[in-house]
Every structure is written in structure tokens, then in C-alpha cells.
Amino acid sequence: MSPHINSKLPNTGTTIFTIMSVLAAEHKAVNLGQGFPDYPMSAALTALVDEAMRNGHNQYTHSYGLATLREALSRKIDGLYCRTINPDSDITITPGGTYAIYTALTAVINPGDEVIVFEPAYDSYIPNITINGGIPVLIPLRHPDYTIDWNLVRQKISPRTKMIMLNTPHNPTGSVLSTDDITQLRSIVHDTGIFILSDEVYEHLIFDGKQHESMLRYPDLFERSFVCFSFGKVYNCTGWKLGYCVAPATMMTEFRKVHQFNCFSCNHPVQHALAGFISRREEYLQLGSILQQKRDHLQACMQQTRFTPLPSYGSYFQLYSYAAISEESENDFAIRLTKEYGVTGIPVSSFYANGRDNQVIRFCFSKNKQTLEEAANRLVNL
Ligand code: PMP
Ligand code: GLN
């Protein structure tokens, strides 16, 4: 008899990002699929990593993360969100934002717990809940502006609701939470034992003068929140896979129990470099305007095509409707676009557990001008 795995994720296949990036490479397509910049990161920051390695910061560091990095993050959070965070007890450095999300869910979710997830949702959320025995309670965002129907949230709350997952700025839609959303959220969770997991990896990538509504701004929300971040999105180095989670001390204690036996500690020289770099505020404060220009450039180039943009107020992404072009499913359309027109996007249906199709495709605009122009030029004939 050969060994048999009784799959914990029987309905999960290969992520759309792997599928589309492989397909893009195979067809030499302009890859506006997976979200990563195609322009270089800061040479000053890579020089600091080089220096850290040469200076011997090459062994394990603290399991919670390098102390000077946690201290620098605490100062950054105070400056941005006026929240005092204890670097010893409230911050843990993780190998990426995705890992921080997984770890928070693993620390909190017991079998049978319900977790409210808004769809479309970043594709790791639902498998992360399921593998922990949790039950995803799916609430669709309102198409086409992808806002939250808070009345529906009220209806879906049950005695088993353990957590609400939020993502602002939002992947894949580029929608952002407003102060009204925060008011609604506060009134819903007030006097409940509901946790919040807030995925804020795009905190600085926010446009048109909007304010990032971090859970860190609001003491009554932060007291129940795991807030997850990614350095990859801040310093144009998604391949570094380094992030962090911020949470109140008692919650962080449980988070660290999971973390210490999963990865223990993260890349040391990179943490050393970042600890010295974070004080350069302009590096992150300028990001919103740089990305907004890229969004606008893609939009200007796409005007010559029959695609229709949906609003994007943040993130790396903008959704485009192709309803005027084709009736194909999003998946078929995205594959054909790569194979026949040499441009790769991500079908938004892959961010829904049950594959809802609105004839929209996600394009990533964190790219060089020439890349965006080349993509639009290839789409003109469609
Ligand atoms: N959440 C969202 C919504 C993202 O788009 C990403 C980007 N991959 C992450 C989390 C995680 O980022 P990381 O690469 O640091 O794991
Ligand atoms: N966050 C990126 C995206 O949404 C990449 C995610 C990934 O490769 N897992 O495209």
C-alpha cells in the first residue's frame, strides 16, 4: 500500500499568479498579470544590504525581528497613524505579508469559526481559513465600485463569527475604505469578540488625495486587529519576501507561538539594511504619486482600445471591463489575450471562490512607461 494524503485543501489548485506568469513567459507576453514592479529598486538600499552582509550580519537574528527594525517601524507608525506601538511586544517581522496573514489566522481560528471575507479576495485568504478548519463567510463587494454592503455584513454576523478580513487599498479592485466604512465597522464590532485581520500591504499606494484608513488610526479597532504589511510593496522588492504584523501584545503573543516554530526568524542582513533606511520618509511618502502617474499613464494609453477602466484609488492594479469586446469568460479571455495578443492580465473571477464573472480583467500598472505603452499598443487591434 502506498501512502495517501487526505488533502486539507481538496478544492485548491495552482494559484492564478503562477499559471499566468508561466503562460506570459511562454508567449513572450507583456506581463501586466502578477503584481510586481519591472523597474529597479533603490540602489542605496541594496548597498545597505551589501554592507550588512560584509559587516557580518549573517546569522540568525531575534525571532520577533531585529530590534532596531522593530523600533524604526514603531516610530514610522507613530508618525503616520499617531499610534504608540511597543516594538518589543506588538510587532513581529515575517517572511512576507502573505505569511503574516496565514500566521494570524492560524493563531486565532479554531475549527468551526466563521471568518467574513469580502470577494473578490486576495487568493490566499480562503485556503488559509480552510486549512485551519475555519468557515469562510463570503460577502461580495458591490460591482462596479466594489464597496462593502454593511447591511449584508450585519446579516451575516453570527455567534460563530470570529474574524472580519479587510484589505485596503484593495487587491484586485483598487477600492479603498472610507471614513464611513470605518464608522460602520466600529459600530458592528463594538462590544463583540470579533477580531479584525487588516491587510494593508498597499498602505502607501493610495491616490487622488485619499487617506489610508489603517486600523492603527483607531484605538477601538486596533485593540482587536492584526495589521499586516509587506516591505516588498514599499521598496519595490517583492522578491525579498519580507513583511511584518502589528497587533496588541496579548494577540501578538499567540501569533509568535505559531511563528517561532514555522520560520523562527527572517533574513538578517535585509532587516539590518531596512532598519537604517526606514527613517527616509520621502521614500514611502512619494509612492502614491509615482503610482498614480503610472495608473494615469496606462489609462491614457488604453484610451485607444475598447477596454473601459473601472476606478482605482490605490494598489498596483486597475480593473478593465472588456464587455464591449467579447462575451468570453474572464479566464478564457485572459488566456486568449496572452496567447494571441501578447498581453497578460489576471481574470478577476479567480478572486472569487465560486468564480463570479463580470467581464473584467486586472492589469498591473507598477511598470515602466514603455511596458505600459507596449501593452496598450498590442491591445489596439482587439
Ligand atoms: N496581500 C495582498 C492583497 C497582496 O497583494 C500581497 C502581494 N503579494 C500580499 C498580501 C503579500 O505580500 P508578500 O509578497 O509580502 O507576501
Ligand atoms: N500580490 C501580487 C498579485 O496580486 C502577487 C501575488 C503572488 O504572486 N502570490 O499579483
Side-chain angles (χ1 to χ4, degrees):
M1 204 171 93
S2 48
H4 168 73
I5 295 177
N6 188 9
S7 178
K8 292 186 179 178
L9 297 172
N11 304 318
T12 301
T14 305
T15 91
I16 191 71
F17 303 115
T18 306
I19 292 172
M20 294 313 288
S21 279
V22 168
L23 199 68
E26 211 175 283
H27 293 272
K28 299 195 170 36
V30 180
N31 191 355
L32 305 189
Q34 195 176 22
F36 60 86
D38 70 346
Y39 38 90
M41 65 172 298
S42 158
L45 182 51
T46 51
L48 286 173
V49 177
D50 183 57
E51 192 183 303
M53 287 182 169
R54 285 174 200 278
N55 288 340
H57 300 285
N58 297 309
Q59 308 308 329
Y60 294 131
T61 183
H62 198 290
S63 173
Y64 306 159
L66 189 71
T68 49
L69 178 57
R70 285 182 279 126
E71 285 155 14
L73 285 169
S74 158
R75 286 191 293 274
K76 175 180 175 181
I77 289 167
D78 190 21
L80 286 174
Y81 305 119
C82 301
R83 180 77 31 241
T84 304
I85 292 297
N86 182 334
D88 293 329
S89 57
D90 306 351
I91 302 179
T92 300
I93 310 297
T94 62
T98 313
Y99 173 105
I101 294 163
Y102 176 81
T103 305
L105 283 161
T106 303
V108 165
I109 300 306
N110 296 113
D113 286 344
E114 293 180 357
V115 181
I116 291 188
V117 180
F118 299 100
E119 285 194 310
Y122 184 55
D123 70 342
S124 72
Y125 296 173
I126 292 173
N128 282 187
I129 296 165
T130 312
I131 204 162
N132 284 298
I135 301 166
V137 174
L138 307 175
I139 299 185
L141 295 172
R142 287 182 291 219
H143 177 76
D145 56 359
Y146 296 99
T147 50
I148 295 176
D149 180 344
W150 290 104
N151 286 331
L152 201 49
V153 177
R154 285 191 176 82
Q155 287 165 29
K156 295 274 189 176
I157 300 261
S158 87
R160 285 188 299 176
T161 307
K162 182 59 92 52
M163 184 182 264
I164 297 177
M165 290 184 79
L166 297 166
N167 173 210
T168 185
H170 186 256
N171 178 6
T173 68
S175 64
V176 299
L177 290 186
S178 65
T179 47
D180 285 349
D181 290 315
I182 296 294
T183 307
Q184 296 274 5
L185 179 64
R186 291 172 112 167
S187 81
I188 286 175
V189 297
H190 174 72
D191 261 352
T192 72
I194 298 174
F195 290 97
I196 293 169
L197 193 155
S198 189
D199 177 349
E200 302 185 11
V201 300
Y202 299 106
E203 66 177 324
H204 302 303
L205 310 180
I206 188 158
F207 318 137
D208 305 325
K210 297 208 181 279
Q211 168 175 283
H212 172 55
E213 291 295 351
S214 175
M215 297 305 116
L216 289 161
R217 282 187 198 281
Y218 304 94
D220 55 327
L221 294 178
F222 179 61
E223 70 178 18
R224 56 182 75 241
S225 293
F226 292 95
V227 194
C228 300
F229 298 94
S230 169
F231 290 110
K233 305 296 186 300
V234 183
Y235 297 111
N236 301 329
C237 53
T238 60
W240 280 14
K241 291 298 296 189
L242 202 70
Y244 54 102
C245 180
V246 186
T250 50
M251 291 163 57
M252 188 50 84
T253 301
E254 290 302 315
F255 181 101
R256 287 172 172 176
K257 286 184 191 172
V258 180
H259 166 70
Q260 69 183 343
F261 296 124
N262 198 3
C263 117
F264 181 72
S265 72
C266 303
N267 187 308
H268 185 176
V270 166
Q271 290 189 61
H272 210 275
L274 284 167
F277 203 69
I278 283 178
S279 59
R280 302 189 193 189
R281 298 186 84 229
E282 69 289 352
E283 291 289 332
Y284 53 84
L285 292 180
Q286 66 183 354
L287 275 176
S289 100
I290 293 174
L291 268 292
Q292 180 174 325
Q293 282 170 36
K294 292 187 179 296
R295 176 202 64 180
D296 293 346
H297 191 61
L298 176 62
Q299 259 187 50
C301 297
M302 290 291 280
Q303 266 177 7
Q304 41 172 347
T305 74
R306 291 193 294 151
F307 285 84
T308 313
L310 275 62
S312 165
Y313 299 110
S315 81
Y316 277 165
F317 310 110
Q318 179 143 31
L319 302 189
Y320 277 83
S321 165
Y322 60 86
I325 300 171
S326 162
E327 290 183 348
E328 282 162 286
S329 73
E330 291 175 6
N331 210 48
D332 290 350
F333 185 75
I335 289 171
R336 190 163 70 86
L337 217 58
T338 300
K339 287 186 175 169
E340 294 179 16
Y341 292 86
V343 179
T344 297
I346 301 287
V348 177
S349 53
S350 50
F351 297 91
Y352 287 92
N354 301 314
R356 178 181 293 235
D357 228 286
N358 288 312
Q359 292 178 297
V360 281
I361 183 159
R362 188 195 84 174
F363 289 130
C364 171
F365 51 74
S366 64
K367 305 290 174 187
N368 278 311
K369 271 182 125 180
Q370 299 83 324
T371 311
L372 299 174
E373 286 159 13
E374 177 62 24
N377 287 341
R378 291 182 183 199
L379 296 174
V380 170
N381 301 326
L382 200 70

